[in-house]
Short mmCIF file of all heavy atoms in Angstrom, two decimals:
data_model
loop_
_atom_site.label_atom_id
_atom_site.label_comp_id
_atom_site.label_asym_id
_atom_site.label_seq_id
_atom_site.Cartn_x
_atom_site.Cartn_y
_atom_site.Cartn_z
N CYS A 99 105.35 -27.97 -17.47
CA CYS A 99 105.08 -28.59 -18.77
C CYS A 99 104.85 -30.09 -18.62
O CYS A 99 103.94 -30.66 -19.22
CB CYS A 99 106.25 -28.33 -19.72
SG CYS A 99 105.94 -28.82 -21.43
N ILE A 100 105.68 -30.73 -17.79
CA ILE A 100 105.50 -32.17 -17.53
C ILE A 100 104.13 -32.42 -16.91
O ILE A 100 103.39 -33.32 -17.34
CB ILE A 100 106.61 -32.70 -16.60
CG1 ILE A 100 107.97 -32.64 -17.29
CG2 ILE A 100 106.30 -34.13 -16.16
CD1 ILE A 100 109.13 -33.04 -16.40
N ALA A 101 103.80 -31.62 -15.89
CA ALA A 101 102.51 -31.80 -15.20
C ALA A 101 101.34 -31.56 -16.14
O ALA A 101 100.36 -32.32 -16.13
CB ALA A 101 102.44 -30.85 -14.00
N GLN A 102 101.44 -30.52 -16.97
CA GLN A 102 100.35 -30.20 -17.88
C GLN A 102 100.14 -31.31 -18.90
O GLN A 102 99.00 -31.73 -19.15
CB GLN A 102 100.65 -28.89 -18.61
CG GLN A 102 99.50 -28.39 -19.45
CD GLN A 102 99.79 -27.07 -20.13
OE1 GLN A 102 100.60 -27.02 -21.07
NE2 GLN A 102 99.16 -26.01 -19.68
N LEU A 103 101.23 -31.81 -19.48
CA LEU A 103 101.12 -32.89 -20.46
C LEU A 103 100.53 -34.14 -19.81
O LEU A 103 99.61 -34.77 -20.37
CB LEU A 103 102.49 -33.20 -21.07
CG LEU A 103 102.51 -34.17 -22.26
CD1 LEU A 103 103.66 -33.82 -23.20
CD2 LEU A 103 102.64 -35.61 -21.83
N PHE A 104 101.02 -34.49 -18.63
CA PHE A 104 100.55 -35.69 -17.94
C PHE A 104 99.06 -35.59 -17.60
O PHE A 104 98.29 -36.53 -17.85
CB PHE A 104 101.36 -35.90 -16.66
CG PHE A 104 100.85 -37.02 -15.79
CD1 PHE A 104 100.98 -38.34 -16.18
CD2 PHE A 104 100.23 -36.74 -14.58
CE1 PHE A 104 100.50 -39.37 -15.39
CE2 PHE A 104 99.75 -37.76 -13.78
CZ PHE A 104 99.88 -39.08 -14.18
N ILE A 105 98.64 -34.45 -17.06
CA ILE A 105 97.24 -34.28 -16.65
C ILE A 105 96.31 -34.21 -17.86
O ILE A 105 95.28 -34.89 -17.91
CB ILE A 105 97.09 -33.03 -15.76
CG1 ILE A 105 97.84 -33.22 -14.45
CG2 ILE A 105 95.62 -32.73 -15.49
CD1 ILE A 105 97.95 -31.96 -13.61
N PHE A 106 96.68 -33.39 -18.85
CA PHE A 106 95.82 -33.22 -20.03
C PHE A 106 95.66 -34.53 -20.78
O PHE A 106 94.55 -34.93 -21.15
CB PHE A 106 96.40 -32.14 -20.95
CG PHE A 106 95.53 -31.81 -22.12
CD1 PHE A 106 94.47 -30.93 -21.98
CD2 PHE A 106 95.77 -32.37 -23.37
CE1 PHE A 106 93.65 -30.61 -23.07
CE2 PHE A 106 94.96 -32.06 -24.45
CZ PHE A 106 93.90 -31.18 -24.31
N LEU A 107 96.78 -35.23 -21.01
CA LEU A 107 96.72 -36.50 -21.73
C LEU A 107 95.98 -37.55 -20.91
O LEU A 107 95.21 -38.34 -21.46
CB LEU A 107 98.14 -36.98 -22.06
CG LEU A 107 98.26 -38.30 -22.82
CD1 LEU A 107 97.51 -38.23 -24.15
CD2 LEU A 107 99.72 -38.65 -23.06
N GLY A 108 96.21 -37.57 -19.60
CA GLY A 108 95.53 -38.53 -18.75
C GLY A 108 94.03 -38.34 -18.75
O GLY A 108 93.25 -39.30 -18.86
N LEU A 109 93.59 -37.08 -18.68
CA LEU A 109 92.15 -36.79 -18.68
C LEU A 109 91.53 -37.08 -20.05
O LEU A 109 90.42 -37.62 -20.13
CB LEU A 109 91.92 -35.32 -18.30
CG LEU A 109 92.26 -34.97 -16.85
CD1 LEU A 109 92.29 -33.45 -16.66
CD2 LEU A 109 91.27 -35.60 -15.88
N GLY A 110 92.24 -36.73 -21.12
CA GLY A 110 91.73 -37.03 -22.47
C GLY A 110 91.60 -38.52 -22.70
O GLY A 110 90.60 -38.99 -23.27
N SER A 111 92.60 -39.29 -22.26
CA SER A 111 92.55 -40.75 -22.40
C SER A 111 91.42 -41.35 -21.56
O SER A 111 90.73 -42.26 -21.98
CB SER A 111 93.89 -41.36 -21.98
OG SER A 111 94.95 -40.85 -22.74
N THR A 112 91.25 -40.80 -20.35
CA THR A 112 90.17 -41.27 -19.48
C THR A 112 88.81 -41.04 -20.11
O THR A 112 87.92 -41.90 -20.04
CB THR A 112 90.24 -40.56 -18.11
OG1 THR A 112 91.50 -40.83 -17.50
CG2 THR A 112 89.12 -41.03 -17.18
N GLU A 113 88.65 -39.87 -20.75
CA GLU A 113 87.36 -39.58 -21.39
C GLU A 113 87.05 -40.56 -22.50
O GLU A 113 85.89 -40.96 -22.68
CB GLU A 113 87.35 -38.15 -21.92
CG GLU A 113 86.02 -37.76 -22.53
CD GLU A 113 85.78 -36.27 -22.60
OE1 GLU A 113 86.60 -35.51 -22.06
OE2 GLU A 113 84.75 -35.87 -23.18
N CYS A 114 88.06 -40.96 -23.26
CA CYS A 114 87.84 -41.94 -24.32
C CYS A 114 87.24 -43.23 -23.76
O CYS A 114 86.27 -43.77 -24.29
CB CYS A 114 89.16 -42.25 -25.03
SG CYS A 114 89.84 -40.90 -26.00
N VAL A 115 87.83 -43.73 -22.68
CA VAL A 115 87.36 -44.97 -22.07
C VAL A 115 86.01 -44.76 -21.40
O VAL A 115 85.11 -45.61 -21.49
CB VAL A 115 88.39 -45.50 -21.06
CG1 VAL A 115 87.92 -46.83 -20.46
CG2 VAL A 115 89.75 -45.68 -21.72
N LEU A 116 85.84 -43.62 -20.73
CA LEU A 116 84.60 -43.33 -20.01
C LEU A 116 83.41 -43.25 -20.98
O LEU A 116 82.30 -43.71 -20.64
CB LEU A 116 84.73 -42.03 -19.23
CG LEU A 116 83.55 -41.65 -18.32
CD1 LEU A 116 83.32 -42.72 -17.25
CD2 LEU A 116 83.81 -40.30 -17.66
#
Side-chain angles (χ1 to χ4, degrees):
C99 189
I100 293 175
Q102 187 178 71
L103 188 149
F104 173 70
I105 294 170
F106 185 82
L107 180 58
L109 292 168
S111 302
T112 300
E113 183 158 354
C114 292
V115 182
L116 185 61

